[in-house]
Amino acid sequence: MKLTVTPKLLDKESSIGFLLRLAQRNGYLSIQDLVNQSVIRANVPNVDPKSLSTFSQLANVKAYEYSSHELWKFTCSINPRICLACIKSAGLIHQTHLDATVYRCTKHDLNLVNQCFHCRKSLRWDIALTNGLCTNEECGKKLIQIDTTVPENLTREQVLDCLTMSHFISAPCSTYITQKKFVEIDDYALALENGYKVLTQKDIFVEWECRQAFSSADEYPSDLNFVSSWLVKKILRSNWPIHSIINPPKITKQIESKSEKSLWLNYNTATNILKMSRPDIMLLKEFGLIFIRGNTRLTLNSVIDISPIFRMLAVHSKTDSNLDTSIYSASLLMHQNLTSLADILIGIKNKRLNTRYLPSSDISSSLYVDMSEFREFCQEQLKDKMNLIIDLGEAVKITSLSNSVLKSIKKQGVIQSPRRNPYSDDEFCYCSDAIKIRDMNRVGQLSLALENY
């Protein structure tokens, strides 16, 4: 079947806009009616009708710059936004107007319209758009311009920031993010306006930030209570007035309740907040202190539930008066004995270490120990790692000697190079050798030993 009318493709017209005009000019009621006809293959070059059921084909997303944004793979908007002047002059839906980072028509200096002023319904991809009419069948009135308080000169990055902030506003207490393929926002103009308002007005941001904290379980340190703020800080690409207050306040509070609610975090968020490496996270999984969504292997895209850690800490918390030193203040001791936070958490679970848990600014500041008992625990941790191969960075922690000094000692044969990789042996040693160097240095025997070599 031959189409009666095949309009000329307008300059910089979007594929989906052209198909709407094509359907409208040939009497079809929708794009889908047109797609179902074999005439598409014969009349529209380089378009497979079978593929037009997907938005990516309709919108021709290949024309868009690939976005590395944390929330969206492509910055192409699923929801239609049109320039009323472009529609009035030629029924044109501009290709660039599908980009969610574009909110104004540069040719006509007008904001794009995404909603009907009369019925307040968001627009749909419908033939009515080509006539500038509301796509809501119960309304169908002529679309008119809607004013906004957003400035006219926001950059691409600033627009993405506003949409990001709006995402967190509409999803209270978001503790992790999932990247979607396209930008899907029902009321784009409102989202942009709300995001801009929160990012530019400190009092409104503080109010939002406090709502996130007050909604969290009381057994968490404040950096986890404010994890939504932490995520926003990581994602924002431009400088905003709220940057000076975006760090959550340091608070100390007693445990008032115990929540069974999960606390899911993205892998990078979990490792940053807990200050743990991948092996540490894997170790916690082995001991049932974290769970991975879907019980799959740990990857950069994993979503992790860390709530079991804090339920365990609350259960094992003691009230002894001698538990008066935070492990944060004992970080040097941990450093010198290669004792990680994961080692400590597993030690608490296995009842090898007594602690008092009082939620504070972060997990290290929330755990209190008896210093003499903690010293013994850390020393035991180091002994357990005696036969391990460690890198020189860890050897520096144990010996308190510089990397260059340790390399010099290795060249003189005082400590052995493990046989693991002929190209990188100089960067590794046995943990037992590092301990030996430390002990020799403490009693003044190291310089003597070096002279004999």
Side-chain angles (χ1 to χ4, degrees):
M1 176 181 175
K2 195 78 174 172
L3 289 176
T4 305
V5 180
T6 304
K8 182 181 178 182
L9 182 68
L10 302 175
D11 183 39
K12 298 180 181 179
E13 183 175 21
S14 63
S15 297
I16 193 169
F18 175 70
L19 287 172
L20 285 171
R21 286 198 306 116
L22 185 67
Q24 187 262 343
R25 292 290 298 275
N26 286 276
Y28 290 98
L29 298 178
S30 69
I31 294 182
Q32 195 58 49
D33 290 338
L34 179 66
V35 169
N36 290 336
Q37 307 298 320
S38 59
V39 294
I40 280 288
R41 193 185 300 278
N43 292 274
V44 184
N46 303 320
V47 174
D48 180 0
K50 293 181 180 180
S51 67
L52 287 176
S53 59
T54 65
F55 178 79
S56 57
Q57 287 290 331
L58 287 172
N60 190 20
V61 298
K62 291 181 180 179
Y64 287 86
E65 175 186 355
Y66 180 84
S67 173
S68 60
H69 195 274
E70 290 83 351
L71 293 179
W72 305 287
K73 185 177 181 181
F74 295 97
T75 58
C76 193
S77 174
I78 286 183
N79 310 86
R81 295 170 304 121
I82 61 172
C83 168
L84 294 181
C86 288
I87 291 292
K88 184 177 181 180
S89 63
L92 171 67
I93 298 178
H94 206 287
Q95 178 74 19
T96 59
H97 295 171
L98 299 185
D99 190 334
T101 65
V102 176
Y103 63 105
R104 289 181 62 81
C105 175
T106 54
K107 179 178 180 180
H108 298 104
D109 199 26
L110 291 172
N111 286 331
L112 303 182
V113 174
N114 66 276
Q115 189 183 73
C116 175
F117 174 80
H118 306 285
C119 67
R120 294 296 172 177
K121 296 289 186 181
S122 294
L123 303 179
R124 298 179 292 107
W125 290 111
D126 188 272
I127 290 176
L129 289 178
T130 61
N131 296 317
L133 302 176
C134 175
T135 55
N136 176 17
E137 293 179 357
E138 297 178 356
C139 177
K141 293 182 179 179
K142 193 173 184 65
L143 296 171
I144 62 175
Q145 203 72 37
I146 301 177
D147 293 332
T148 178
T149 58
V150 177
E152 301 176 1
N153 57 347
L154 294 184
T155 66
R156 175 186 176 88
E157 289 73 23
Q158 288 174 327
V159 172
L160 283 172
D161 285 351
C162 292
L163 297 180
T164 296
M165 190 68 245
S166 174
H167 167 80
F168 282 91
I169 295 170
S170 61
C173 302
S174 299
T175 58
Y176 71 96
I177 55 176
T178 302
Q179 189 185 54
K180 294 184 177 181
K181 189 170 185 180
F182 301 112
V183 179
E184 187 173 2
I185 300 173
D186 190 46
D187 190 344
Y188 178 93
L190 180 64
L192 187 66
E193 190 167 329
N194 286 343
Y196 180 79
K197 185 185 299 183
V198 174
L199 290 174
T200 53
Q201 298 183 36
K202 294 182 180 181
D203 56 337
I204 297 179
F205 179 84
V206 170
E207 182 183 341
W208 169 80
E209 189 177 37
C210 290
R211 284 200 300 270
Q212 312 310 303
F214 295 154
S215 301
S216 301
D218 291 325
E219 68 263 29
Y220 297 128
S222 60
D223 62 348
L224 284 169
N225 283 329
F226 289 93
V227 70
S228 296
S229 299
W230 189 90
L231 280 173
V232 169
K233 179 182 179 182
K234 286 293 181 182
I235 297 174
L236 294 181
R237 299 183 172 188
S238 303
N239 291 321
W240 297 93
I242 56 96
H243 270 101
S244 59
I245 57 161
I246 203 165
N247 292 319
K250 293 185 178 181
I251 57 174
T252 301
K253 55 186 179 182
Q254 298 287 341
I255 303 173
E256 298 173 1
S257 64
K258 295 179 176 62
S259 171
E260 295 299 317
K261 187 177 179 182
S262 298
L263 179 56
W264 294 100
L265 302 176
N266 295 102
Y267 170 82
N268 285 334
T269 307
T271 54
N272 273 280
I273 286 184
L274 295 176
K275 298 177 177 62
M276 290 186 182
S277 63
R278 188 178 190 278
D280 290 334
I281 297 290
M282 289 298 294
L283 199 57
L284 293 184
K285 180 179 182 294
E286 183 181 335
F287 281 85
L289 288 173
I290 64 155
F291 296 109
I292 300 175
R293 173 158 287 181
N295 201 27
T296 57
R297 65 188 182 90
L298 185 65
T299 69
L300 293 176
N301 296 320
S302 291
V303 179
I304 302 167
D305 178 17
I306 67 170
S307 62
I309 294 174
F310 299 95
R311 285 197 287 271
M312 181 274 295
L313 291 177
V315 168
H316 288 78
S317 182
K318 310 292 183 182
T319 57
D320 301 5
S321 59
N322 59 331
L323 300 173
D324 56 2
T325 304
S326 72
I327 64 170
Y328 175 81
S329 61
S331 57
L332 180 60
L333 179 63
M334 294 169 57
H335 191 78
Q336 293 172 337
N337 289 276
L338 299 187
T339 301
S340 68
L341 179 57
D343 294 328
I344 293 171
L345 295 175
I346 293 167
I348 297 171
K349 182 177 182 180
N350 292 338
K351 299 182 179 179
R352 294 176 57 197
L353 179 65
N354 293 314
T355 57
R356 179 166 62 104
Y357 178 56
L358 180 63
S360 185
S361 59
D362 56 34
I363 188 169
S364 295
S365 302
S366 303
L367 286 174
Y368 291 82
V369 295
D370 177 283
M371 196 58 186
S372 59
E373 181 189 3
F374 189 60
R375 183 176 289 105
E376 290 179 9
F377 175 82
C378 291
Q379 290 169 350
E380 288 173 7
Q381 293 300 310
L382 188 58
K383 287 178 183 177
D384 291 342
K385 299 172 182 176
M386 286 279 283
N387 297 323
L388 294 181
I389 295 173
I390 61 174
D391 61 46
L392 287 190
E394 292 174 313
V396 167
K397 297 177 184 178
I398 295 172
T399 62
S400 298
L401 298 173
S402 68
N403 190 286
S404 59
V405 170
L406 287 176
K407 284 187 175 181
S408 176
I409 292 173
K410 285 194 68 177
K411 286 181 180 179
Q412 296 183 55
V414 178
I415 53 179
Q416 304 176 39
S417 289
R419 295 181 179 179
R420 58 176 283 158
N421 185 333
Y423 299 104
S424 61
D425 280 350
D426 286 345
E427 299 298 326
F428 297 90
C429 69
Y430 290 104
C431 183
S432 55
D433 281 342
I435 295 172
K436 181 178 73 173
I437 292 296
R438 180 195 65 184
D439 294 342
M440 290 172 65
N441 191 39
R442 283 177 176 175
V443 297
Q445 293 181 350
L446 182 59
S447 57
L448 180 63
L450 293 175
E451 289 176 4
N452 294 331
Y453 276 92

